[in-house]
């Protein structure tokens, strides 16, 4: 059974942990992630909170005879950026959830 001293100390530690997690998430949100399709035909820039900020498409990626190619290149670049964000989030935030058995973390 916890007494008031231990509970207070634990709550203080939880608040400190929440503050650290918030600061790290903010850092990720403010980081730019650049996703690229093969040969840099499409390059996208996302913020860490998964908002697209920029997209550059090389003129040769815009073939009117093959619009599916452009779509595939955009999808490839976007997925590349999102995978980088996911990895950065796991690398940073995973240390807080390791061993906790929290579903989805």
């Amino acid at each position: 059974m916890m007494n008031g001293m231990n509970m207070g100390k634990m709550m203080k530690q939880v608040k400190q942990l929440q503050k650290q997690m918030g600061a790290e998430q903010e850092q990720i949100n403010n980081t730019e992630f650049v996703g690229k399709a093969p040969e840099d035909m499409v390059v996208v820039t996302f913020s860490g909170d998964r908002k697209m900020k920029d997209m550059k498409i090389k003129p040769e990626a815009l073939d009117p005879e093959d619009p599916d190619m452009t779509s595939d290149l955009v999808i490839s670049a976007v997925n590349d950026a999102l995978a980088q964000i996911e990895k950065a989030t796991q690398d940073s935030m995973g240390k807080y959830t390791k061993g906790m058995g929290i579903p989805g973390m």
Side-chain angles (χ1 to χ4, degrees), residues 34-88:
V34 178
K36 299 178 179 182
E39 299 177 33
D40 295 346
M41 296 290 269
V42 175
V43 177
V44 296
T45 304
F46 276 81
S47 58
D49 57 356
R50 294 170 175 81
K51 291 189 171 93
M52 189 184 297
K53 299 174 77 175
D54 189 33
M55 180 183 344
K56 291 180 176 62
I57 301 174
K58 286 186 175 180
E60 56 267 31
L62 300 171
D63 181 353
E65 301 296 317
D66 190 6
D68 288 342
M69 178 185 73
T70 304
S71 295
D72 290 344
L73 291 169
V74 170
I75 290 167
S76 176
V78 168
N79 285 339
D80 181 38
L82 293 177
Q84 291 177 44
I85 294 168
E86 183 63 30
K87 183 179 181 332

Side-chain angles (χ1 to χ4, degrees), residues 18-34:
Q18 287 173 329
K19 185 177 177 181
Q20 288 172 339
M21 288 174 65
E24 289 193 34
Q25 185 62 55
E26 185 68 25
Q27 183 177 359
I28 290 169
N29 289 350
N30 290 328
T31 302
E32 287 190 348
F33 296 86
V34 178

Side-chain angles (χ1 to χ4, degrees), residues 1-10:
M1 201 170 231
M2 290 193 163
N3 64 33
M5 291 276 291
N6 289 339
M7 185 62 130
K9 185 177 178 183
M10 187 175 85

Side-chain angles (χ1 to χ4, degrees), residues 85-101:
I85 294 168
E86 183 63 30
K87 183 179 181 332
T89 301
Q90 286 300 319
D91 289 350
S92 178
M93 306 304 281
K95 64 186 169 214
Y96 297 110
T97 58
K98 238 177 229 165
M100 294 177 102

